[in-house]
Amino acid sequence: MQTTDRIRQFISAELLSNASPSSLGDTDALIESGIIDSYGIMSVIAFIEKDFGIQLESHELIPDNFENIRAIAGLVDRKLGK
Amino acid sequence: MIEIELTAEQNQLRKTITDFSRKELNVDVAAHDRQGVFPLELWKKCAAMDIMALPFPEEYGGCGLDFLSTTVAIEALSYGCKDSGLVHGICAHLISGLLIKLFGSEEQKRLYLPRISRGEMIAAQAISEADAGSDVLSMLTKATRQGTEYIIDGRKMFISNASVADVILVLAVTDPGRKTMGAHSFFLLEKGVPGLSCGKAFEKMGLRTLQNSEVIIDVCPVSSDKLVGKEGQGAIIFNEMMEWERILFGACHLGSLTRVMETSVRYAKERKQFGQPIGKYQSVSNKIARMKISEELIRPLVHRAAAKKDLKQRAAKEASVIKVFASESLKSACLDAIQVHGAYGYMVEFEIEQDLRDSISSTIYSGTTEMNMQIIARLMGL
């Protein structure tokens, strides 16, 4: 499964009450729409660190890296050296 | 799950801080409480013991201890020192310094951490507002960029250490057009900057030596090099720092609870009614047994969460669990301790009533019990 799909599946299940993953596009605004709020960001950070086995540094914890699924996947892939 | 066994050094640290606190810090506690004064001399003694330097790297004048060791030290401080207001002020100072350590620029670390470590620069965080408590990100304080400066304008409420602070970390809205995430940023404001002032310290029910006041930021110009982290990173920094703070306060509550429990045990053994020590009556001993259960459960929670932070792992859920459990347990233990001591417990002379008054706010600050329960539930996917 691609990075984007794993992230999409998590956000759909955990932050959108099990909505269909297909309803969430790669560039749909997650922060502006309120899908990722101040609680949601904690879940997302914990998920990507655990699921992808990465550790985010403080300078990477910026809203731009969580704007949409593509941005989150980009962050993850950079950390994984993809 | 991480299993923690403290090292010989950590156990020695606990003993050293406990001995120091009992010997040096329990001076005029009731008088300071009555007067609501900040015990500067005791603060200086703690600084001389390097308590303010514990978690900061040696290159910035700190002791270079990990967070687990810091929680051990703070538990010992809170166990030995009867002035919970002083201990709370030290925790607020340490958390402010940790924010700079974790998110500050190299220049900010070099400028502030050595003086924070020596305790000669007192630090505070200004986040809550009159109408933004639990819903803290709905704050109104704004920071507007103008060239190389930000103009900060707003008022902060109930800020710990504010009136004695030399540097205040202020959270403000930098992008009012955005939702909560990305809208806020942290700034370092030094005492004496034009437009920055503090109200008189509030009179409080407990934690009276802790100085809580309003912070007035009246069109205050701040150079852009006082921005901490990146613009828009404020809410994420706030979340991260809440983890450290809730774990540290958990250690603090644990120390107080243990002291209150031991005081209750001593009294229940000495006090005789109907021909035997009151501790022989189950209705009394059950109260103390409950304190013991709390103590035994809180300590591993604190140690495991602190160890997670040392491993640079997230511990939001663990931090909220600790905060709720430790603060509610402390409050219950203090109420039970009064009951165990009977009429004597109600008297100022026995000091337990101060512990109760000091404990009441523990379920309010650093996120109310209700807000922390909400966080726990959200992080369980509810």
mmCIF file of all heavy atoms in Angstrom, chain A residues 22-39:
data_model
loop_
_atom_site.group_PDB
_atom_site.id
_atom_site.type_symbol
_atom_site.label_atom_id
_atom_site.label_comp_id
_atom_site.label_asym_id
_atom_site.label_seq_id
_atom_site.Cartn_x
_atom_site.Cartn_y
_atom_site.Cartn_z
ATOM 1 N N SER A 22 -12.201 6.657 -0.058
ATOM 2 C CA SER A 22 -12.229 7.208 -1.420
ATOM 3 C C SER A 22 -12.779 8.635 -1.455
ATOM 4 O O SER A 22 -12.591 9.366 -2.430
ATOM 5 C CB SER A 22 -13.073 6.307 -2.328
ATOM 6 O OG SER A 22 -14.378 6.249 -1.807
ATOM 7 N N SER A 23 -13.451 9.036 -0.358
ATOM 8 C CA SER A 23 -14.022 10.390 -0.347
ATOM 9 C C SER A 23 -12.986 11.451 0.009
ATOM 10 O O SER A 23 -13.275 12.638 -0.010
ATOM 11 C CB SER A 23 -15.186 10.453 0.646
ATOM 12 O OG SER A 23 -14.696 10.227 1.947
ATOM 13 N N LEU A 24 -11.767 11.023 0.341
ATOM 14 C CA LEU A 24 -10.729 11.958 0.769
ATOM 15 C C LEU A 24 -9.606 11.999 -0.268
ATOM 16 O O LEU A 24 -8.894 11.011 -0.469
ATOM 17 C CB LEU A 24 -10.186 11.502 2.137
ATOM 18 C CG LEU A 24 -9.320 12.461 2.922
ATOM 19 C CD1 LEU A 24 -10.052 13.769 3.218
ATOM 20 C CD2 LEU A 24 -8.895 11.805 4.242
ATOM 21 N N GLY A 25 -9.470 13.151 -0.927
ATOM 22 C CA GLY A 25 -8.457 13.283 -1.981
ATOM 23 C C GLY A 25 -7.093 13.662 -1.434
ATOM 24 O O GLY A 25 -6.976 14.149 -0.308
ATOM 25 N N ASP A 26 -6.070 13.458 -2.256
ATOM 26 C CA ASP A 26 -4.691 13.749 -1.825
ATOM 27 C C ASP A 26 -4.473 15.210 -1.452
ATOM 28 O O ASP A 26 -3.626 15.515 -0.620
ATOM 29 C CB ASP A 26 -3.699 13.393 -2.949
ATOM 30 C CG ASP A 26 -3.486 11.896 -3.060
ATOM 31 O OD1 ASP A 26 -4.111 11.156 -2.276
ATOM 32 O OD2 ASP A 26 -2.701 11.473 -3.930
ATOM 33 N N THR A 27 -5.204 16.096 -2.114
ATOM 34 C CA THR A 27 -4.953 17.525 -1.865
ATOM 35 C C THR A 27 -6.110 18.198 -1.125
ATOM 36 O O THR A 27 -6.147 19.430 -1.014
ATOM 37 C CB THR A 27 -4.699 18.258 -3.205
ATOM 38 O OG1 THR A 27 -5.815 18.018 -4.064
ATOM 39 C CG2 THR A 27 -3.420 17.776 -3.873
ATOM 40 N N ASP A 28 -7.039 17.416 -0.634
ATOM 41 C CA ASP A 28 -8.134 18.010 0.161
ATOM 42 C C ASP A 28 -7.546 18.653 1.423
ATOM 43 O O ASP A 28 -6.713 18.041 2.100
ATOM 44 C CB ASP A 28 -9.159 16.933 0.576
ATOM 45 C CG ASP A 28 -10.016 16.483 -0.590
ATOM 46 O OD1 ASP A 28 -9.898 17.095 -1.675
ATOM 47 O OD2 ASP A 28 -10.766 15.505 -0.431
ATOM 48 N N ALA A 29 -8.018 19.853 1.726
ATOM 49 C CA ALA A 29 -7.469 20.592 2.874
ATOM 50 C C ALA A 29 -7.880 19.921 4.183
ATOM 51 O O ALA A 29 -9.071 19.771 4.461
ATOM 52 C CB ALA A 29 -7.971 22.022 2.843
ATOM 53 N N LEU A 30 -6.916 19.498 4.961
ATOM 54 C CA LEU A 30 -7.217 18.811 6.226
ATOM 55 C C LEU A 30 -7.291 19.785 7.389
ATOM 56 O O LEU A 30 -8.130 19.649 8.271
ATOM 57 C CB LEU A 30 -6.136 17.758 6.509
ATOM 58 C CG LEU A 30 -5.995 16.634 5.478
ATOM 59 C CD1 LEU A 30 -4.826 15.726 5.848
ATOM 60 C CD2 LEU A 30 -7.285 15.814 5.393
ATOM 61 N N ILE A 31 -6.400 20.787 7.377
ATOM 62 C CA ILE A 31 -6.386 21.745 8.484
ATOM 63 C C ILE A 31 -7.461 22.816 8.262
ATOM 64 O O ILE A 31 -8.265 23.089 9.158
ATOM 65 C CB ILE A 31 -4.991 22.368 8.646
ATOM 66 C CG1 ILE A 31 -4.015 21.298 9.166
ATOM 67 C CG2 ILE A 31 -5.031 23.558 9.585
ATOM 68 C CD1 ILE A 31 -2.583 21.743 9.296
ATOM 69 N N GLU A 32 -7.495 23.377 7.085
ATOM 70 C CA GLU A 32 -8.470 24.441 6.807
ATOM 71 C C GLU A 32 -9.906 23.949 6.988
ATOM 72 O O GLU A 32 -10.775 24.694 7.418
ATOM 73 C CB GLU A 32 -8.290 24.970 5.377
ATOM 74 C CG GLU A 32 -7.096 25.898 5.214
ATOM 75 C CD GLU A 32 -7.113 27.075 6.192
ATOM 76 O OE1 GLU A 32 -8.104 27.817 6.243
ATOM 77 O OE2 GLU A 32 -6.119 27.214 6.931
ATOM 78 N N SER A 33 -10.132 22.661 6.674
ATOM 79 C CA SER A 33 -11.494 22.119 6.796
ATOM 80 C C SER A 33 -11.805 21.701 8.236
ATOM 81 O O SER A 33 -12.943 21.355 8.537
ATOM 82 C CB SER A 33 -11.637 20.896 5.887
ATOM 83 O OG SER A 33 -10.749 19.892 6.336
ATOM 84 N N GLY A 34 -10.782 21.694 9.083
ATOM 85 C CA GLY A 34 -10.997 21.298 10.483
ATOM 86 C C GLY A 34 -10.920 19.805 10.712
ATOM 87 O O GLY A 34 -11.143 19.326 11.827
ATOM 88 N N ILE A 35 -10.603 19.030 9.653
ATOM 89 C CA ILE A 35 -10.481 17.572 9.852
ATOM 90 C C ILE A 35 -9.328 17.297 10.825
ATOM 91 O O ILE A 35 -9.440 16.499 11.740
ATOM 92 C CB ILE A 35 -10.239 16.851 8.497
ATOM 93 C CG1 ILE A 35 -11.469 16.997 7.606
ATOM 94 C CG2 ILE A 35 -9.894 15.376 8.725
ATOM 95 C CD1 ILE A 35 -11.277 16.513 6.183
ATOM 96 N N ILE A 36 -8.216 17.993 10.611
ATOM 97 C CA ILE A 36 -7.118 17.919 11.591
ATOM 98 C C ILE A 36 -7.196 19.177 12.445
ATOM 99 O O ILE A 36 -6.920 20.278 11.982
ATOM 100 C CB ILE A 36 -5.739 17.835 10.907
ATOM 101 C CG1 ILE A 36 -5.577 16.495 10.175
ATOM 102 C CG2 ILE A 36 -4.625 17.999 11.938
ATOM 103 C CD1 ILE A 36 -4.212 16.277 9.551
ATOM 104 N N ASP A 37 -7.612 18.991 13.690
ATOM 105 C CA ASP A 37 -7.638 20.114 14.629
ATOM 106 C C ASP A 37 -6.543 19.902 15.662
ATOM 107 O O ASP A 37 -5.653 19.060 15.466
ATOM 108 C CB ASP A 37 -9.027 20.251 15.270
ATOM 109 C CG ASP A 37 -9.433 18.998 16.040
ATOM 110 O OD1 ASP A 37 -8.597 18.094 16.213
ATOM 111 O OD2 ASP A 37 -10.596 18.927 16.482
ATOM 112 N N SER A 38 -6.604 20.629 16.758
ATOM 113 C CA SER A 38 -5.508 20.533 17.725
ATOM 114 C C SER A 38 -5.438 19.162 18.405
ATOM 115 O O SER A 38 -4.391 18.779 18.907
ATOM 116 C CB SER A 38 -5.618 21.645 18.771
ATOM 117 O OG SER A 38 -6.828 21.532 19.459
ATOM 118 N N TYR A 39 -6.545 18.415 18.438
ATOM 119 C CA TYR A 39 -6.491 17.040 18.940
ATOM 120 C C TYR A 39 -6.025 16.109 17.818
ATOM 121 O O TYR A 39 -5.208 15.221 18.013
ATOM 122 C CB TYR A 39 -7.878 16.542 19.389
ATOM 123 C CG TYR A 39 -8.471 17.246 20.564
ATOM 124 C CD1 TYR A 39 -9.701 17.883 20.459
ATOM 125 C CD2 TYR A 39 -7.831 17.244 21.798
ATOM 126 C CE1 TYR A 39 -10.278 18.516 21.543
ATOM 127 C CE2 TYR A 39 -8.399 17.879 22.889
ATOM 128 C CZ TYR A 39 -9.623 18.513 22.756
ATOM 129 O OH TYR A 39 -10.189 19.132 23.835
#
